[in-house]
Amino acid sequence: MPYVHDTLTRLAKSSPAQTEFYQATEEVLECLRPLFERAPHYHQHSIIERIVEPERQVMFRVSWVDDAGRVQVNKGYRVQFNSALGPYKGGLRFHPSVTSGTIKFLGFEQIFKNALTGLPIGGGKGGADFDPKGKSDNEIMRFCQAFMSELYRHIGPHTDVPAGDIGVGGREIGYLFGQYKRLTGRYEGVLTGKGLNWGGSLGRKEATGYGAVYFAENMLAAKGDALRGKTCLVSGAGNVAIYTIEKLYELGAKPVTCSDSKGTIHDPSGIDLGLLKQLKEVQRDSLESYLHEHPEAHYIAARDYPQDGHAVWRIEGEAAFPCATQNELTEADAKTLLANGVTCVSEGANMPSTKEAVDVFLEAKIAYGPGKAANAGGVATSQLEMAQNSSMEQWPLDKVDQKLKQIMADIHRQCADTASEFGEPDNLVLGANIAGFRKVADAMIEQGVI
Ligand SMILES: NC(=O)C1=CN([C@@H]2O[C@H](COP(=O)(O)OP(=O)(O)OC[C@H]3O[C@@H](n4cnc5c(N)ncnc54)[C@H](O)[C@@H]3O)[C@@H](O)[C@H]2O)C=CC1
Ligand SMILES: O=C(O)CCC(=O)C(=O)O
């Protein structure tokens, strides 16, 4: 259909050099072809033209002073992509690779992910090209305060509610919240992922990883299978990876890998979760230190791995959980995973598989859960945090976890039903994109041209 090509050509002209954003857009638009054939009114309302354009983008300078007294400058972003279903909702990423294209791809994915949760949240994302690695606590605090000194004007509990993503965890949310409160004088649910004794929700920290594992369990159950007893490959070593590993153990599976930007750990007897948490959540150390406690484990340094792809995906296993970053799993990786007997891939990260890798999974008809469905448990639980904040309650952990489990089952059912409705029952990419898009597009039509 010409509209995919036309839209991408227009985007390339109006928003140059945003390759990750084009990749995310192309996937969604390709999936919408059969919907548009059945429902041409989406064309008449120019929904595609409107949905690929953020409602608002803020770019700003973040100036802060490092420990040596030097002034440092970074670039900050908040993209308020779509508010058809509710206030903008989505994380903040602090990583040196961040550009406006990164934030736009993440914000675009967030629209459909948030729609799939069935909760009243629109799509947004933000961040900065700031590198938290090697910074002192005081530098992190000063950066967060400087970042919020601009961001606070654009957010609010009923307009836009940021949260964490790569490089933004509980510590950063604390500093951001403190500065928002200082600037506005308001104590309100303007951020999620907050500390448990000042407005946070039990279960939010764990939710993205747990949700990705629940999603895998749903995909496997639909095929008469389960995670119990399976050897699992996990990439990343941050928030999502750690709680993916924790839930895999709880469900009787054996996670044998994790990775950070410097290298991969393969521990055939199972990743030592207590040690991983200590290294990454407390010491903020490199994974190589895992070997001090477990000299029998294998460490593959990223610099020694020049091939196309990532070391995690070349290790034998039966289920795979990419939980690090975008495009970390290539076509060659996907082929190796299949050759090694992987039958389930559930994406904790956003867009971790390249387009070619996704095609390999879809062709093989394995249980493949795309990020916008499989990792939606994090943002869904953020919305549960918003609900608790607005009613000034704190729910017990089992209530939050039951809701999370149900939300992940509902997302899986929606994706699977929609995929079947369009004649491709195994294609949850198609199902997720059409199901998410329909909700947003229908709301946009009902709300008029704005
Ligand atoms: N935190 C959340 O609630 C959610 C996060 N996500 C996505 O999950 C992914 C991971 O995010 P978090 O765990 O929150 O971030 P994090 O900052 O806690 O951890 C990211 C981890 O991935 C590793 N990593 C980054 N680049 C890598 C590379 N090229 N190779 C190997 N490892 C690499 C880092 O070393 C780090 O250990 C991202 O794609 C994020 O957008 C998705 C939904 C919600
Ligand atoms: O919890 C949130 O609001 C956002 C989570 C997020 O950034 C994501 O789903 O990618």
Side-chain angles (χ1 to χ4, degrees):
M1 255 188 209
Y3 79 89
V4 178
H5 177 259
D6 292 352
T7 306
L8 290 170
T9 308
R10 210 177 42 252
L11 285 179
K13 238 175 137 182
S14 66
S15 308
Q18 299 187 341
T19 46
E20 291 160 335
F21 175 51
Y22 310 149
Q23 182 185 340
T25 310
E26 186 174 1
E27 181 201 285
V28 173
L29 297 190
E30 288 287 352
C31 286
L32 295 178
R33 283 170 197 270
L35 175 68
F36 275 55
E37 276 160 18
R38 289 188 197 179
H41 69 287
Y42 291 126
H43 263 318
Q44 285 143 22
H45 288 277
S46 299
I47 294 294
I48 291 298
E49 290 83 343
R50 289 155 68 189
I51 214 164
V52 298
E53 203 54 59
E55 290 174 13
R56 189 172 300 101
Q57 300 182 68
V58 192
M59 275 188 233
F60 50 96
R61 185 183 71 201
V62 188
S63 314
W64 56 283
V65 181
D66 68 17
D67 285 348
R70 279 186 301 263
V71 176
Q72 301 284 347
V73 180
N74 288 98
K75 193 153 182 155
Y77 304 89
R78 186 72 184 167
V79 176
Q80 298 180 328
F81 226 118
N82 193 295
S83 62
L85 298 181
Y88 309 106
K89 185 82 195 86
L92 297 171
R93 177 175 292 191
F94 292 169
H95 193 273
S97 66
V98 162
T99 64
S100 59
T102 320
I103 301 300
K104 273 179 74 180
F105 117 66
L106 291 162
F108 187 68
E109 291 286 284
Q110 201 81 46
I111 304 172
F112 308 102
K113 180 194 308 194
N114 293 6
L116 286 171
T117 66
L119 300 167
I121 38 180
K125 199 86 184 192
D129 61 353
F130 170 71
D131 188 357
K133 245 183 233 150
K135 302 290 189 299
S136 70
D137 259 5
N138 276 332
E139 288 177 320
I140 299 283
M141 181 179 73
R142 286 196 293 274
F143 178 80
C144 288
Q145 290 175 341
F147 185 85
M148 186 53 85
S149 295
E150 174 58 34
L151 188 68
Y152 84 97
R153 316 162 205 279
H154 309 288
I155 61 176
H158 302 290
T159 50
D160 185 354
V161 183
D165 190 80
I166 292 180
V168 178
R171 172 181 61 168
E172 290 73 19
I173 293 292
Y175 295 144
L176 291 163
F177 184 78
Q179 182 72 352
Y180 178 85
K181 190 160 55 83
R182 174 157 75 179
L183 293 168
T184 63
R186 291 196 294 270
Y187 201 110
E188 55 193 9
V190 69
L191 291 157
T192 59
K194 298 186 290 298
L196 293 180
N197 61 348
W198 46 275
S201 174
L202 288 157
R204 172 59 188 95
K205 183 172 69 174
E206 296 84 355
T208 310
Y210 281 18
V213 177
Y214 292 148
F215 196 85
E217 197 71 325
N218 280 290
M219 288 195 292
L220 287 169
K223 292 176 180 284
D225 199 356
L227 283 166
R228 179 162 296 282
K230 285 199 172 21
T231 298
C232 298
L233 309 173
V234 179
S235 64
N239 172 264
V240 181
I242 288 172
Y243 293 96
T244 294
I245 289 173
E246 183 163 285
K247 184 53 72 176
L248 284 170
Y249 276 128
E250 281 178 26
L251 296 186
K254 185 163 80 161
V256 295
T257 61
C258 57
S259 66
D260 61 17
S261 48
K262 295 209 183 99
T264 292
I265 287 287
H266 176 210
D267 189 341
S269 58
I271 292 294
D272 179 339
L273 180 60
L275 177 60
L276 177 62
K277 284 186 179 178
Q278 177 64 25
L279 288 178
K280 289 298 179 181
E281 293 187 331
V282 183
Q283 290 169 223
R284 300 179 193 276
D285 202 351
S286 151
L287 268 184
E288 199 167 0
S289 307
Y290 188 97
L291 296 177
H292 299 158
E293 299 262 340
H294 292 284
E296 75 289 357
H298 312 293
Y299 181 73
I300 307 148
R303 64 173 178 275
D304 296 335
Y305 198 80
Q307 300 105 297
D308 171 23
H310 197 293
V312 168
W313 315 126
R314 306 302 166 96
I315 291 162
E316 285 191 17
E318 293 152 289
F321 295 82
C323 297
T325 194
Q326 64 268 20
N327 291 325
E328 55 162 307
L329 195 161
T330 65
E331 180 179 16
D333 292 330
K335 288 181 174 161
T336 310
L337 287 172
L338 294 186
N340 283 341
V342 162
T343 57
C344 172
V345 178
S346 186
E347 295 183 340
N350 283 309
M351 208 170 74
S353 306
T354 63
K355 183 184 187 309
E356 296 73 23
V358 175
D359 290 342
V360 170
F361 296 142
L362 293 179
E363 176 85 3
K365 297 191 190 311
I366 60 159
Y368 169 63
K372 64 168 72 74
N375 72 37
V379 74
T381 308
S382 275
Q383 197 281 342
L384 302 181
E385 183 172 326
M386 291 163 70
Q388 292 168 75
N389 291 163
S390 63
S391 59
M392 302 193 91
E393 289 179 305
Q394 189 173 51
W395 301 343
L397 179 59
D398 63 336
K399 174 169 172 171
V400 177
D401 194 44
Q402 279 311 316
K403 282 182 182 285
L404 171 64
K405 222 181 254 174
Q406 188 59 51
I407 289 167
M408 297 316 295
D410 289 346
I411 295 175
H412 175 261
R413 186 187 35 74
Q414 272 180 77
C415 296
D417 288 354
T418 309
S420 296
E421 180 190 338
F422 285 87
E424 292 192 47
D426 292 305
N427 189 339
L428 300 185
V429 177
L430 185 85
N433 284 321
I434 293 183
F437 173 84
R438 262 203 298 223
K439 287 189 188 177
V440 181
D442 292 347
M444 288 172 73
I445 291 170
E446 284 162 23
Q447 290 170 21
V449 178
I450 48 173

